[in-house]
């Protein structure tokens, strides 16, 4: 069986896509970021909670403040990527639920009145949205370099508030010279998929 999506698009989004480690100096425009968001905002989340929040790091000052919190191996690529996105989960996402679920506005209080419940749900659903975001970056013809090697507490203090939890940092741009590491192995179908 073949997939409906064109094989070239499948390659762009999955088979040929890799985490980029170098980038050209071609800028990433606000229009490109808007187009990415306009595509990925439709990815499903539980209760349509949409807890992902994105901080775009564009200024030299903000970049310097971010780079000092990145792991040593991630500092050079974060310093040179045309755009860097800090992806975080909004632990107060429930405040938006009456607008996001107009048919069930009481979900805000019925399911998410307790902070620990919100944090758990926000972490899972924002991670889903982060994956959609990476695929959206690829769909825009750009490369994504998602990273979790950083001082999370430092980045949260520098860029977020107590209501947001850091998920990852993503370098974004056109891939540069020697951008890709070799493709690593993947598990076989029967190692992952079980029928019962």
């Amino acid at each position: 069986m073949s997939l409906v999506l064109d094989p070239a698009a499948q390659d762009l989004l999955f088979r040929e896509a890799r985490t980029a480690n170098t980038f050209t100096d071609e800028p990433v425009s606000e229009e490109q970021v808007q187009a990415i968001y306009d595509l990925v905002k439709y990815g499903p989340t539980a209760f349509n909670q949409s807890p992902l929040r994105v901080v775009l790091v564009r200024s030299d000052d903000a970049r310097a403040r971010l780079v000092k919190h990145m792991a040593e191996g991630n500092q050079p690529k974060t310093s040179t990527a045309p755009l860097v996105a800090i992806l975080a989960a909004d632990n107060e996402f429930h405040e938006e639920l009456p607008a996001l679920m107009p048919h069930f506005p009481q979900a805000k209080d019925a399911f998410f009145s307790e902070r620990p419940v919100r944090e758990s749900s926000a972490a899972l659903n924002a991670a889903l949205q982060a994956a959609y975001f990476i695929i959206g970056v690829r769909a825009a013809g750009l490369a994504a370099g998602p990273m979790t090697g950083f001082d999370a507490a430092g980045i949260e203090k520098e860029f977020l508030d107590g209501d947001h939890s850091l998920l990852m940092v993503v370098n974004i741009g056109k891939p540069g010279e020697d951008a890709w590491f070799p493709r690593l192995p993947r598990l076989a179908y029967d190692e992952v998929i079980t029928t019962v």
Side-chain angles (χ1 to χ4, degrees):
M1 177 180 182
S2 63
L3 298 173
V4 173
L5 192 64
D6 178 88
Q10 295 172 35
D11 287 344
L12 176 71
L13 299 179
F14 296 101
R15 286 190 290 261
E16 299 300 324
R18 294 186 176 61
T19 295
N21 294 288
T22 67
F23 299 88
T24 70
D25 58 3
E26 183 178 331
V28 176
S29 70
E30 191 65 35
E31 293 77 17
Q32 286 172 300
V33 176
Q34 180 73 53
I36 291 165
Y37 176 72
D38 286 343
L39 177 65
V40 304
K41 69 184 178 185
Y42 294 110
T45 57
F47 291 90
N48 197 34
Q49 63 187 251
S50 306
L52 182 70
R53 302 295 180 263
V54 181
V55 177
L56 297 177
V57 179
R58 290 192 182 274
S59 72
D60 292 339
D61 172 66
R63 174 119 21 179
R65 289 170 30 226
L66 175 61
V67 167
K68 72 181 181 182
H69 297 293
M70 300 303 295
E72 186 176 342
N74 290 334
Q75 289 180 355
K77 50 192 166 185
T78 304
S79 295
T80 58
L83 180 64
V84 183
I86 299 170
L87 305 189
D90 181 358
N91 297 307
E92 297 298 315
F93 68 85
H94 69 305
E95 296 295 344
E96 304 294 338
L97 284 182
L100 294 173
M101 288 198 67
H103 62 284
F104 187 31
Q106 61 271 33
K108 171 187 171 186
D109 298 316
F111 295 101
F112 300 107
S113 61
E114 301 295 325
R115 175 75 179 225
V117 173
R118 291 197 304 274
E119 288 178 353
S120 176
S121 191
L124 171 62
N125 286 280
L128 283 172
Q129 289 187 284
Y132 305 146
F133 183 83
I134 291 166
I135 299 299
V137 168
R138 294 172 178 177
L142 300 169
M147 301 169 292
T148 56
F150 45 62
D151 169 17
I155 294 175
E156 287 179 349
K157 183 176 179 184
E158 196 83 45
F159 292 96
L160 305 172
D161 60 31
D163 291 333
H164 295 79
S165 300
L166 178 62
L167 296 172
M168 66 183 69
V169 174
V170 183
N171 294 324
I172 303 169
K174 293 283 186 181
E177 189 174 338
D178 298 321
W180 322 115
F181 294 145
R183 169 71 78 196
L184 293 173
R186 296 299 191 267
L187 295 173
Y189 178 87
D190 61 358
E191 294 176 296
V192 176
I193 308 297
T194 302
T195 302
V196 294

